[in-house]
Amino acid sequence: MSVTYTAVLPVSEDTVLFVSGLLHAQRRRLGTRAGTRSLGCYRQAILVLRRLLDGTRIIQLAVDNQVSRLTGYAYLHEGLSVIADQAPGLNSVLLAAKMAGYAHVNVDGTLIETDRCSTPGPTPGVDLWWSGKHDNHGGNVQVITAPDGWPLWTSPVRPGREHDTTALRHHDVLPLLSAWTDDDLRVLGDLGYEGESDTITIAFKKPKNRSCTAIEQEFNRAHNAVRAIGERGNSLLKTTFKALRNVSLCPWTISRITAAALVILHIEHGRTT
């Protein structure tokens, strides 16, 4: 026997209607005829949001909606794509940050764990998605946040084996950040961005043969106190969206999942900057 129960989705009705509207527009673009889909736009929106927010397994979503697992995957990927397409570009994010009067933004990398571990990497015997730093498989996503740690932008995913600086360079983010930075505007980061200290303001690294000077230590304390607030952005995304805690889909879909999560977070709280 099966057991039914009532569950509550922790988002507002407006957010569900927003996603439903995106799906409706997508069906119109595709020329989908009325009555040819197993689920309407509203129910498909709920399916996608359940996956993002609660990390509900596809097989459970399929059973609950009386569709096949293959159809469930198709609905999920379609929903993630149309939501992720609404994610802001970095240029517009930096322009909005400047107009908002921010003195700085923060950049920080996060590892989105994945259980996929069968893709050969450039090093023999080491998987492409293996992160030695985190001792786990996952994808590297760069997150830019406001001074108070509110997430503004997420990058496409890179394999977890890559360093934060390598990931930024691959996405051509550094030229945009460099153009945005001036005497009154800064990009703050941790020592993981040591190789790009001309663009990203980092703390002083302890030299091999001596301790940091008193001035350097004072600067580091002030810098770390301000920069650490930016890590709230990564935490906020992962605690709000259980789908970001471990991705069982193809690791490359992490790009769409994080972008979709960012869009839903912005819509739900009515804040983009």
Side-chain angles (χ1 to χ4, degrees):
M1 295 179 60
S2 61
V3 177
T4 61
Y5 63 95
T6 301
V8 178
L9 197 62
V11 290
S12 66
E13 181 78 4
D14 289 341
T15 299
V16 181
L17 292 175
F18 168 78
V19 178
S20 179
L22 295 178
L23 293 169
H24 178 70
Q26 173 69 359
R27 293 187 184 189
R28 290 186 61 120
R29 283 192 294 269
L30 296 175
T32 304
R33 299 191 306 275
T36 59
R37 292 284 194 104
S38 299
L39 298 182
C41 295
Y42 189 87
R43 290 181 63 192
Q44 184 182 354
I46 292 177
L47 181 151
V48 176
L49 290 171
R50 285 182 64 191
R51 176 69 179 191
L52 276 174
L53 290 158
D54 294 337
T56 309
R57 295 175 302 162
I58 286 294
I59 190 159
Q60 186 63 56
L61 293 173
V63 169
D64 291 347
N65 290 279
Q66 298 180 337
V67 298
S68 68
R69 185 167 60 176
L70 184 62
T71 300
Y73 274 116
Y75 280 150
L76 174 63
H77 286 298
E78 181 183 46
L80 291 175
S81 294
V82 297
I83 300 172
D85 287 344
Q86 305 302 309
L90 183 56
N91 257 330
S92 61
V93 163
L94 294 177
L95 178 60
K98 180 176 290 188
M99 294 178 64
Y102 293 155
H104 72 274
V105 294
N106 308 291
V107 61
D108 191 27
T110 186
L111 186 82
I112 307 297
E113 295 183 5
T114 176
D115 56 10
R116 296 295 183 93
C117 52
S118 59
T119 307
T123 304
V126 179
D127 190 81
L128 180 66
W129 297 91
W130 176 257
S131 170
K133 175 182 177 181
H134 297 88
D135 197 27
N136 207 333
H137 290 87
N140 183 315
V141 174
Q142 301 294 303
V143 181
I144 289 181
T145 64
D148 64 351
W150 179 256
L152 301 176
W153 178 82
T154 59
S155 75
V157 69
R158 291 300 301 166
R161 64 180 298 276
E162 292 189 2
H163 194 270
D164 284 341
T165 306
T166 304
L168 279 184
R169 289 170 179 167
H170 180 88
H171 300 308
D172 293 329
V173 172
L174 290 166
L176 294 176
L177 294 179
S178 179
W180 184 81
T181 303
D182 58 28
D183 292 338
D184 299 320
L185 299 170
R186 290 285 185 270
V187 181
L188 306 186
D190 58 25
L191 286 174
Y193 302 98
E194 182 183 6
E196 294 295 340
S197 56
D198 291 340
T199 300
I200 300 174
T201 303
I202 62 174
F204 287 100
K205 188 175 182 179
K206 181 181 178 301
K208 291 183 178 180
N209 301 323
R210 65 173 178 85
S211 299
C212 291
T213 65
I215 294 177
E216 291 172 341
Q217 291 177 11
E218 184 177 354
F219 174 88
N220 287 353
R221 283 192 293 270
H223 175 272
N224 291 334
V226 175
R227 181 201 59 79
I229 300 175
E231 296 183 0
R232 170 178 175 262
N234 296 341
S235 177
L236 185 59
L237 287 169
K238 287 185 175 180
T239 55
T240 305
F241 301 95
K242 292 182 181 179
L244 292 177
R245 299 180 189 178
N246 188 287
V247 174
S248 59
L249 303 173
C250 170
W252 292 110
T253 63
I254 293 174
S255 297
R256 283 185 293 152
I257 296 172
T258 52
L262 180 71
V263 171
I264 297 302
L265 192 68
H266 285 181
I267 295 298
E268 183 66 13
H269 292 271
R271 177 183 175 183
T272 57
T273 57

